[in-house]
Amino acid sequence: MTETLDRTAQISLLSQQWDAIEALVAPLDEDGWRTPSALPGWSVFDIVAHVIGTESWLLGDRPPAHDPTRVKTDVRTLPYVRNETAVLNEIWVDRLRPLSGARLLEFYRDVIDRRRSALAAIGDAEWAKETVSPIGQISYGRFMRVRLFDCWTHELDIADALGMPVEEGGPRGELAFAEFVLGIPRVVAKKGEAPDGARIAFTLTGPLARTLRIQVAGRAKYVDEFDQPATVEIRMDSRLFVRLGCGRTKAEEHLDEITIEGDAELGHRIVRHLAFTL
């Protein structure tokens, strides 16, 4: 389950993804910016600040200095900060919080314009070069697909918080989803405790409709077809699947939207433990 990392096409999709986030937040008043999201401790404002922080880090920028008139937050003590990537994310968010929504949007536009220029200057050799990322040492091109996935997910977070529907399929959604599903086999085997020999089929409806087949044989991996009937088939909308995998909601709140056939115990254990993203 991989996608060709075509540099020009992928940069274009990432640029479109940044535009999609801007389109959601540009009309907001200050109250709208401060709308709580499904992410612990974060508002819509904080999500955009996080995107700014990551793209700024990629430009080599440092977080703004701490405002001495504010109480300094020890971000490592926050219950949802569990690793060094989260620490850096939270520092950027905390340092940008004193800004107004309008000022944050100006900051966002400036950073995104600079990132577009930086990406336009990248050649094939740099695109293929190994670099450090939140998921380990990967090519820069793969890292930009991770960035697309992250920004796409945060577009959904913002839209959900504001109660605004957005298009979750299309080229951006397809490429982001291709990155997302790479983590599903491991979580099915490790957290879902699917035993050796198990065959798990996810039948997804909605904007990213497809069937994902995972077979556990020493390790869990995708297969095109099973040589025997599925041990369990799990059916749900792709929108719910993404939100469960990203830890934005819990299966217990959506059991009427999930159909499980076959090994019900295994199926319920898997859907209750799908969350795996940072």
Side-chain angles (χ1 to χ4, degrees), residues 2 11 20 66 82 88 99 111 117 124 184 190 275 277-278:
T2 59
I11 289 172
H66 171 68
R82 301 186 181 95
L88 180 60
L99 301 180
V111 169
S117 296
D124 289 336
I184 297 296
K190 185 174 181 180
T277 64
L278 292 176

Side-chain angles (χ1 to χ4, degrees), residues 3 102 117 142 184 201 229 231 271:
E3 295 284 334
S117 296
R142 171 78 189 285
I184 297 296
T231 307
V271 298

Side-chain angles (χ1 to χ4, degrees), residues 21 25 33 43-53 104 108 158:
I21 291 174
V25 300
W33 275 101
S43 65
V44 168
F45 181 103
D46 297 333
I47 292 171
V48 177
H50 158 60
V51 174
I52 289 171
L104 190 78
Y108 177 84
I158 293 168

Side-chain angles (χ1 to χ4, degrees), residues 255-270:
L255 292 179
D256 60 335
E257 302 170 50
I258 302 171
T259 301
I260 296 174
E261 292 185 358
D263 187 334
E265 182 180 352
L266 174 60
H268 281 94
R269 188 164 67 241
I270 288 171

Side-chain angles (χ1 to χ4, degrees), residues 57-58 131-134 138-147:
W57 173 73
L58 285 164
T131 188
V132 175
S133 84
I138 55 176
S139 71
Y140 192 84
R142 171 78 189 285
F143 189 6
M144 292 306 98
R145 190 173 78 171
V146 173
R147 290 302 310 133

Side-chain angles (χ1 to χ4, degrees), residues 193-204:
E193 300 178 0
D196 199 56
R199 298 169 299 281
I200 301 97
F202 290 99
T203 301
L204 306 179

